[in-house]
Amino acid sequence: DVKVTQSSRYLVKRTGEKVFLECVQDMDHENMFWYRQDPGLGLRLIYFSYDVKMKEKGDIPEGYSVSREKKERFSLILESASTNQTSMYLCASSLLAGAYEQYFGPGTRLTVT
Amino acid sequence: AQKVTQAQTEISVVEKEDVTLDCVYETRDTTYYLFWYKQPPSGELVFLIRRNSFDEQNEISGRYSWNFQKSTSSFNFTITASQVVDSAVYFCALSEADSNSGYALNFGKGTSLLVTP
């Protein structure tokens, strides 16, 4: 079975802190994605990566950056956390684009105070 | 513009009732993919089904069935004889071949299903 793990289930940070959210997948998938989920807004794409060191902006990249140094790991970085970044963050991976389903990690609920 | 619309925000049914979750999508692509995911209270999204735009056959998997109709741009999901364990938020999603977002999923806002004993 595909396994996508995220470094933390719950995280509390202070405004202005630099925050790292880590995601690891164990199925040699090409594509990896970061979404955030907010009540009433559903899931929105922040960034995605289709190869090592490659990244593309999604719908809401402002305030975030990403890093993919190894195929299995995709990190989301909040350079200076703000309260409006309090959210559930979901990582996903897929073998290839389009025709293949994405597998999701358990999510990280981030609270910025 | 919203590409996937799930008009039902919340649905409550009594166990053993049948329930249909609606999904309407919008795309100009001729090649696209539709998905349903389940998000139980634990939070992890679970993949249920994928359909490509060239396959309009309905699908049945146990108590779950899906009705894909290109003429109405709909991909509805029916649970037959619902059970308490079906309580979750269900998301419909669209992936477009011509998207510049790496085939990322465009999600609807989800339908929260509550099944009571």
Short mmCIF file of all heavy atoms in Angstrom, two decimals, chain A residues 6 9-10 37 43 88-91 104-109, chain B residues 37-46 87-89 91:
data_model
loop_
_atom_site.label_atom_id
_atom_site.label_comp_id
_atom_site.label_asym_id
_atom_site.label_seq_id
_atom_site.Cartn_x
_atom_site.Cartn_y
_atom_site.Cartn_z
N GLN A 6 3.30 12.47 7.20
CA GLN A 6 3.59 13.87 7.48
C GLN A 6 4.20 13.97 8.86
O GLN A 6 3.82 13.22 9.76
CB GLN A 6 2.32 14.72 7.34
CG GLN A 6 1.79 14.72 5.92
CD GLN A 6 0.57 15.60 5.73
OE1 GLN A 6 -0.42 15.18 5.15
NE2 GLN A 6 0.63 16.84 6.19
N ARG A 9 1.07 15.67 13.34
CA ARG A 9 -0.38 15.76 13.21
C ARG A 9 -0.88 17.11 13.69
O ARG A 9 -1.83 17.67 13.14
CB ARG A 9 -1.05 14.66 14.03
CG ARG A 9 -0.94 13.27 13.44
CD ARG A 9 -1.52 13.16 12.02
NE ARG A 9 -2.90 13.55 11.91
CZ ARG A 9 -3.92 12.71 12.04
NH1 ARG A 9 -3.73 11.44 12.32
NH2 ARG A 9 -5.17 13.15 11.88
N TYR A 10 -0.24 17.63 14.74
CA TYR A 10 -0.64 18.91 15.29
C TYR A 10 0.62 19.75 15.53
O TYR A 10 1.64 19.22 15.97
CB TYR A 10 -1.39 18.75 16.61
CG TYR A 10 -2.66 17.94 16.48
CD1 TYR A 10 -2.66 16.57 16.72
CD2 TYR A 10 -3.86 18.54 16.10
CE1 TYR A 10 -3.81 15.82 16.59
CE2 TYR A 10 -5.02 17.79 15.97
CZ TYR A 10 -4.99 16.44 16.21
OH TYR A 10 -6.14 15.70 16.07
N GLN A 37 -6.61 22.90 3.71
CA GLN A 37 -8.05 22.68 3.80
C GLN A 37 -8.62 23.58 4.88
O GLN A 37 -8.17 23.56 6.03
CB GLN A 37 -8.36 21.21 4.15
CG GLN A 37 -9.83 20.91 4.21
CD GLN A 37 -10.12 19.45 4.53
OE1 GLN A 37 -9.23 18.70 4.92
NE2 GLN A 37 -11.36 19.03 4.32
N LEU A 43 -10.43 22.03 -0.34
CA LEU A 43 -8.98 21.90 -0.46
C LEU A 43 -8.47 22.80 -1.57
O LEU A 43 -9.03 22.82 -2.66
CB LEU A 43 -8.58 20.47 -0.77
CG LEU A 43 -8.58 19.48 0.38
CD1 LEU A 43 -9.97 18.97 0.68
CD2 LEU A 43 -7.65 18.32 0.07
N MET A 88 -5.50 23.25 8.10
CA MET A 88 -5.08 21.85 7.96
C MET A 88 -4.29 21.75 6.66
O MET A 88 -4.76 22.18 5.60
CB MET A 88 -6.31 20.92 7.89
CG MET A 88 -5.97 19.50 7.50
SD MET A 88 -5.10 18.59 8.78
CE MET A 88 -6.50 17.94 9.68
N TYR A 89 -3.10 21.17 6.74
CA TYR A 89 -2.24 21.03 5.56
C TYR A 89 -2.14 19.56 5.18
O TYR A 89 -1.82 18.71 6.01
CB TYR A 89 -0.85 21.61 5.85
CG TYR A 89 -0.89 23.11 5.96
CD1 TYR A 89 -1.14 23.74 7.17
CD2 TYR A 89 -0.72 23.91 4.83
CE1 TYR A 89 -1.21 25.11 7.27
CE2 TYR A 89 -0.79 25.29 4.91
CZ TYR A 89 -1.03 25.88 6.14
OH TYR A 89 -1.11 27.25 6.22
N LEU A 90 -2.43 19.30 3.93
CA LEU A 90 -2.46 17.94 3.43
C LEU A 90 -1.44 17.76 2.31
O LEU A 90 -1.41 18.56 1.37
CB LEU A 90 -3.86 17.59 2.90
CG LEU A 90 -4.95 17.52 3.97
CD1 LEU A 90 -6.32 17.62 3.34
CD2 LEU A 90 -4.84 16.23 4.75
N CYS A 91 -0.66 16.73 2.43
CA CYS A 91 0.30 16.36 1.40
C CYS A 91 -0.25 15.19 0.61
O CYS A 91 -0.95 14.32 1.16
CB CYS A 91 1.63 15.99 2.06
SG CYS A 91 2.88 15.38 0.92
N PHE A 104 -3.13 10.60 -0.07
CA PHE A 104 -2.96 11.68 0.89
C PHE A 104 -2.36 11.19 2.21
O PHE A 104 -2.60 10.06 2.65
CB PHE A 104 -4.30 12.34 1.18
CG PHE A 104 -4.77 13.25 0.08
CD1 PHE A 104 -5.38 12.74 -1.06
CD2 PHE A 104 -4.57 14.62 0.17
CE1 PHE A 104 -5.79 13.58 -2.08
CE2 PHE A 104 -4.99 15.46 -0.85
CZ PHE A 104 -5.60 14.95 -1.97
N GLY A 105 -1.61 12.08 2.81
CA GLY A 105 -1.15 11.86 4.16
C GLY A 105 -2.23 12.20 5.17
O GLY A 105 -3.31 12.66 4.79
N PRO A 106 -1.97 12.00 6.45
CA PRO A 106 -2.99 12.21 7.48
C PRO A 106 -3.27 13.68 7.79
O PRO A 106 -4.24 13.99 8.47
CB PRO A 106 -2.39 11.52 8.71
CG PRO A 106 -0.92 11.56 8.49
CD PRO A 106 -0.73 11.44 7.01
N GLY A 107 -2.41 14.56 7.29
CA GLY A 107 -2.63 15.99 7.51
C GLY A 107 -1.90 16.51 8.74
O GLY A 107 -1.61 15.77 9.69
N THR A 108 -1.57 17.78 8.69
CA THR A 108 -1.00 18.50 9.83
C THR A 108 -1.90 19.68 10.15
O THR A 108 -2.13 20.54 9.28
CB THR A 108 0.42 19.03 9.52
OG1 THR A 108 1.30 17.93 9.30
CG2 THR A 108 0.93 19.89 10.68
N ARG A 109 -2.42 19.69 11.35
CA ARG A 109 -3.25 20.84 11.76
C ARG A 109 -2.34 21.86 12.41
O ARG A 109 -1.82 21.63 13.51
CB ARG A 109 -4.34 20.41 12.72
CG ARG A 109 -5.31 21.54 13.05
CD ARG A 109 -6.59 21.05 13.70
NE ARG A 109 -7.42 20.24 12.82
CZ ARG A 109 -8.19 20.72 11.86
NH1 ARG A 109 -8.22 22.01 11.60
NH2 ARG A 109 -8.93 19.91 11.12
N TYR B 37 -13.42 11.23 -3.13
CA TYR B 37 -12.64 10.91 -1.94
C TYR B 37 -13.55 10.98 -0.72
O TYR B 37 -14.50 11.75 -0.67
CB TYR B 37 -11.50 11.92 -1.74
CG TYR B 37 -10.31 11.71 -2.63
CD1 TYR B 37 -10.29 12.22 -3.93
CD2 TYR B 37 -9.19 11.02 -2.18
CE1 TYR B 37 -9.19 12.04 -4.74
CE2 TYR B 37 -8.08 10.83 -2.99
CZ TYR B 37 -8.09 11.34 -4.27
OH TYR B 37 -6.99 11.15 -5.08
N LYS B 38 -13.19 10.17 0.26
CA LYS B 38 -13.91 10.17 1.55
C LYS B 38 -12.95 10.67 2.63
O LYS B 38 -11.78 10.27 2.67
CB LYS B 38 -14.36 8.75 1.90
CG LYS B 38 -14.98 8.58 3.27
CD LYS B 38 -15.34 7.12 3.51
CE LYS B 38 -15.97 6.92 4.89
NZ LYS B 38 -16.34 5.49 5.13
N GLN B 39 -13.43 11.57 3.48
CA GLN B 39 -12.63 12.05 4.59
C GLN B 39 -13.37 11.75 5.89
O GLN B 39 -14.25 12.49 6.31
CB GLN B 39 -12.34 13.54 4.47
CG GLN B 39 -11.35 14.04 5.52
CD GLN B 39 -11.00 15.51 5.33
OE1 GLN B 39 -11.87 16.33 5.02
NE2 GLN B 39 -9.74 15.86 5.53
N PRO B 40 -13.03 10.65 6.54
CA PRO B 40 -13.67 10.33 7.82
C PRO B 40 -13.21 11.29 8.91
O PRO B 40 -12.30 12.09 8.68
CB PRO B 40 -13.20 8.89 8.08
CG PRO B 40 -11.93 8.76 7.32
CD PRO B 40 -12.05 9.67 6.13
N PRO B 41 -13.79 11.20 10.09
CA PRO B 41 -13.40 12.11 11.18
C PRO B 41 -11.91 12.08 11.50
O PRO B 41 -11.37 13.06 12.00
CB PRO B 41 -14.25 11.60 12.35
CG PRO B 41 -15.46 11.01 11.69
CD PRO B 41 -14.96 10.38 10.42
N SER B 42 -11.23 11.00 11.20
CA SER B 42 -9.79 10.93 11.46
C SER B 42 -9.01 11.91 10.60
O SER B 42 -7.87 12.27 10.93
CB SER B 42 -9.28 9.52 11.21
OG SER B 42 -9.51 9.15 9.86
N GLY B 43 -9.59 12.35 9.48
CA GLY B 43 -8.98 13.42 8.69
C GLY B 43 -8.28 13.00 7.41
O GLY B 43 -8.06 13.84 6.55
N GLU B 44 -7.91 11.76 7.28
CA GLU B 44 -7.15 11.35 6.10
C GLU B 44 -8.07 11.09 4.91
O GLU B 44 -9.04 10.35 5.02
CB GLU B 44 -6.36 10.08 6.42
CG GLU B 44 -5.38 9.67 5.36
CD GLU B 44 -4.38 8.66 5.86
OE1 GLU B 44 -4.20 8.54 7.09
OE2 GLU B 44 -3.76 7.99 5.03
N LEU B 45 -7.78 11.69 3.78
CA LEU B 45 -8.60 11.49 2.59
C LEU B 45 -8.34 10.11 2.01
O LEU B 45 -7.20 9.70 1.80
CB LEU B 45 -8.30 12.54 1.53
CG LEU B 45 -9.13 13.80 1.61
CD1 LEU B 45 -8.51 14.74 2.62
CD2 LEU B 45 -9.24 14.49 0.25
N VAL B 46 -9.42 9.42 1.72
CA VAL B 46 -9.34 8.07 1.18
C VAL B 46 -9.90 8.07 -0.23
O VAL B 46 -11.03 8.51 -0.47
CB VAL B 46 -10.14 7.09 2.07
CG1 VAL B 46 -10.11 5.69 1.46
CG2 VAL B 46 -9.59 7.08 3.48
N SER B 87 -20.50 7.84 7.68
CA SER B 87 -20.45 9.24 8.09
C SER B 87 -19.06 9.82 7.83
O SER B 87 -18.06 9.31 8.34
CB SER B 87 -20.79 9.38 9.59
OG SER B 87 -22.11 8.96 9.83
N ALA B 88 -19.02 10.84 7.03
CA ALA B 88 -17.74 11.43 6.61
C ALA B 88 -18.04 12.64 5.74
O ALA B 88 -19.20 12.92 5.42
CB ALA B 88 -16.90 10.42 5.82
N VAL B 89 -16.98 13.32 5.37
CA VAL B 89 -17.10 14.35 4.34
C VAL B 89 -16.64 13.73 3.03
O VAL B 89 -15.57 13.10 2.97
CB VAL B 89 -16.26 15.59 4.67
CG1 VAL B 89 -16.43 16.65 3.58
CG2 VAL B 89 -16.66 16.16 6.03
N PHE B 91 -15.68 14.29 -0.98
CA PHE B 91 -15.22 15.29 -1.94
C PHE B 91 -15.23 14.71 -3.34
O PHE B 91 -14.74 13.60 -3.58
CB PHE B 91 -13.80 15.75 -1.62
CG PHE B 91 -13.68 16.56 -0.36
CD1 PHE B 91 -13.36 15.96 0.84
CD2 PHE B 91 -13.90 17.93 -0.39
CE1 PHE B 91 -13.24 16.72 2.00
CE2 PHE B 91 -13.78 18.70 0.75
CZ PHE B 91 -13.46 18.08 1.96
#
